[in-house]
Amino acid sequence: MKLNKATELIRLRIALIIGACLVLGFMVADVLLLPSSMYSLYFFDRFLLQLPIIALVVVFSLWRRFAQCKQFLFTGLLVALTYSNYWLIWSCWHEFQFVFPYEGTILYAFFCVFALGIPFKLAVAANTINILGFLVLMWFAPVYGDRVAISIAFVCGSLFICAYAKYRLDRSVSMLKESNDRLLKLSKYDPLSDLLNRRALRELSVKLLALSKRHKVSMAVLMLDLDDFKKYNDSFGHQQGDDAIKLQADIMRSVFKRDTDILGRYGGEEFIIVLSDISEQQVAVHCDALLDKWKQKNVVHADDAKHPTMSCSIGAVIASDLRDITIDKLIDKADQALYAAKEKGKACTELVTYER
C-alpha cells in the first residue's frame, strides 16, 4: 500500500511537471502570435503567475499530509490558472485591444480534472467558478465581439462536458472497484458463514506459521464439528441447517477477536481456528467458551441426536516448538483430536500437545 501511494505521488509530480512543460510549449506558439509590445505582460503572467503556482503545488507534494489535501490543492490550482488566464485576456484587451484566445480555460480544466484526478464534485465546483468568471469577463470586456455568445456557449459546454465525463469515469471506476471487491471476497470467504474459505484459510495459516517460527512463539489449531449435524438437517431442513452454520461462525467471532486469529470454514459443518502466541491454558479457556456459548443459545436438536440441544465437538492441538512442523501436520493432529472428542461423547474438547 505504501509503495502504491509513493508511486501515485511520483506520477502526480510528473503530471505537474508535464503541465508546466505544456505551458512553456504554448508560450512558444503564443509569442509568435503576440506583438512584441505585449511580451512583458505575457511573460509576467506565465513566469510570475502560472509557472510559480504550478511549482508551489509541486513543493506542496513533498508535504507529508499532501495525500489528504491533494484534491483541494489541484482544484485550487485549476481555478488559479484559469483566472490568471482571464486576467491576461482582460489585460490584453484593456491595454492593447488585442484578442487573446480563451482555449486555455478548457485545456486547464481537462488537464487538472483527468491528469491530476480532481473528483467529480470538486470538478463541478471549480468549473462553475470558472464559468462564472468567464461570464463576468465577457460582461466587462466583450473581447470576442459578435462571437461573445458562441464563445460563452463553447466554454460553458466544454466545462460541463468535462465535469460530466469525470462523473461517468468516477462512477465506472467505483462500480469496477465494487465488483473487484466482491470477487475478491468470493475468492477468500465462504458465502454462508462469512469466514475464510478452505483455500484462503490454508494460505493465511501457512503465513502465520512462518511468522510464528520466526518469532519463536507457540501455535495452536482447533478443529470444530457440529454434533449430529446431518440429523439436525434431516429434522429441521437445510435452511435451519444453514442458520446453525451461521451461528457457529458468530460464536467463533465472539470468542476469537485478535487480529492474528484465523477463522475459517473447512467444509460442511467443520471449522478451523488457527492461533499464534498462545498458551495451552488459554486454548482450554477458549474451547470452554465455545462450548458455553452453544449451551447459552439452547438450540433444540433433533430427537435422535446425542444431546438435546445443538453443540459442537472440538479437537485442539498446540505446539511450542515449531521446527519442521507444517500446517498440514497441525491440522491432521487437530482432526485426530476431534475424532477423540467425538468418541468421548461429543460436546466436549480434546486438547493435545504436538509431539515429534
Side-chain angles (χ1 to χ4, degrees):
M1 183 64 71
K2 288 183 178 180
L3 181 61
N4 289 340
K5 288 182 178 179
T7 303
E8 175 66 8
L9 284 176
I10 293 172
R11 185 194 70 79
L12 290 174
R13 290 191 192 108
I14 292 173
L16 287 167
I17 293 170
I18 290 174
C21 291
L22 289 174
V23 171
L24 291 172
F26 278 105
M27 284 178 63
V28 176
D30 289 340
V31 167
L32 297 176
L33 174 69
L34 295 172
S36 58
S37 59
M38 295 178 55
Y39 285 175
S40 59
L41 177 66
Y42 179 79
F43 290 143
F44 175 85
D45 178 77
R46 292 318 193 232
F47 284 121
L48 296 181
L49 291 180
Q50 291 198 0
L51 291 176
I53 290 171
I54 297 173
L56 186 62
V57 176
V58 173
V59 172
F60 264 113
S61 71
L62 302 175
W63 184 33
R64 60 187 180 88
R65 294 185 180 178
F66 174 73
Q68 286 80 24
C69 61
K70 64 182 181 181
Q71 296 174 348
F72 297 100
L73 285 173
F74 293 153
T75 304
L77 173 66
L78 171 56
V79 174
L81 291 176
T82 301
Y83 274 75
S84 75
N85 213 51
Y86 289 168
W87 175 83
L88 182 61
I89 293 172
W90 182 85
S91 297
C92 288
W93 172 255
H94 185 263
E95 296 183 26
F96 302 96
Q97 283 70 54
F98 182 85
V99 180
F100 193 84
Y102 59 79
E103 283 79 5
T105 300
I106 299 166
L107 291 175
Y108 296 144
F110 277 85
F111 183 85
C112 290
V113 170
F114 293 103
L116 298 181
I118 295 176
F120 165 67
K121 290 183 179 179
L122 290 178
V124 170
N127 285 350
T128 300
I129 292 171
N130 291 342
I131 287 173
L132 292 175
F134 192 75
L135 291 174
V136 171
L137 175 64
M138 292 298 99
W139 177 266
F140 288 101
V143 177
Y144 306 109
D146 58 355
R147 297 182 65 250
V148 165
I150 191 63
S151 298
I152 291 174
F154 191 79
V155 169
C156 293
S158 298
L159 296 189
F160 170 78
I161 291 170
C162 174
Y164 181 69
K166 183 59 177 176
Y167 164 75
R168 293 296 301 270
L169 179 62
D170 285 355
R171 189 168 182 271
S172 297
V173 170
S174 177
M175 292 174 63
L176 181 61
K177 185 179 182 302
E178 289 176 5
S179 298
N180 287 339
D181 289 343
R182 285 196 296 268
L183 289 173
L184 181 62
K185 186 171 183 178
L186 288 173
S187 71
K188 289 187 175 182
Y189 289 89
D190 171 60
L192 180 59
S193 65
D194 204 28
L195 298 176
L196 292 170
N197 60 30
R198 187 165 182 164
R199 181 178 62 83
L201 170 72
R202 192 180 186 287
E203 288 177 357
L204 287 181
S205 298
V206 169
K207 293 178 181 179
L208 185 61
L209 176 59
L211 188 64
S212 300
K213 287 181 178 180
R214 188 178 306 125
H215 292 283
K216 297 181 180 179
V217 296
S218 61
M219 192 165 180
V221 173
L222 284 62
M223 182 171 279
L224 290 67
D225 184 87
L226 291 175
D227 295 323
D228 295 317
F229 183 70
K230 186 177 184 306
K231 294 178 181 179
Y232 185 83
N233 252 347
D234 292 343
S235 296
F236 300 107
H238 290 286
Q239 181 59 55
Q240 284 194 241
D242 289 347
D243 291 340
I245 288 175
K246 293 177 183 177
L247 184 55
Q248 175 68 90
D250 291 339
I251 289 173
M252 290 165 60
R253 279 189 286 263
S254 70
V255 175
F256 300 94
K257 300 178 180 180
R258 297 187 306 174
D259 292 338
T260 56
D261 295 344
I262 298 174
L263 314 179
R265 185 181 178 193
Y266 199 60
E269 68 272 22
E270 287 187 334
F271 301 83
I272 282 185
I273 301 166
V274 183
L275 310 169
S276 178
D277 192 15
I278 192 168
S279 67
E280 184 174 345
Q281 181 181 3
Q282 289 173 317
V283 173
V285 169
H286 285 320
C287 290
D288 289 341
L290 288 169
L291 298 176
D292 289 341
K293 292 280 186 181
W294 269 116
K295 290 178 182 178
Q296 293 170 17
K297 297 299 181 182
N298 197 31
V299 179
V300 177
H301 213 319
D303 293 336
D304 55 345
K306 176 72 175 179
H307 299 281
T309 58
M310 178 64 76
S311 59
C312 73
S313 297
I314 306 171
V317 58
I318 184 169
S320 55
D321 184 359
L322 300 177
R323 290 176 300 170
D324 303 324
I325 288 181
T326 65
I327 194 64
D328 292 325
K329 289 181 179 179
L330 289 174
I331 291 175
D332 185 58
K333 286 289 185 181
D335 189 35
Q336 294 175 23
L338 175 62
Y339 181 79
K342 292 286 188 182
E343 289 293 305
K344 282 168 52 176
K346 303 178 181 179
C348 63
T349 301
E350 180 71 14
L351 174 58
V352 300
T353 302
Y354 188 90
E355 297 179 358
R356 298 179 179 280

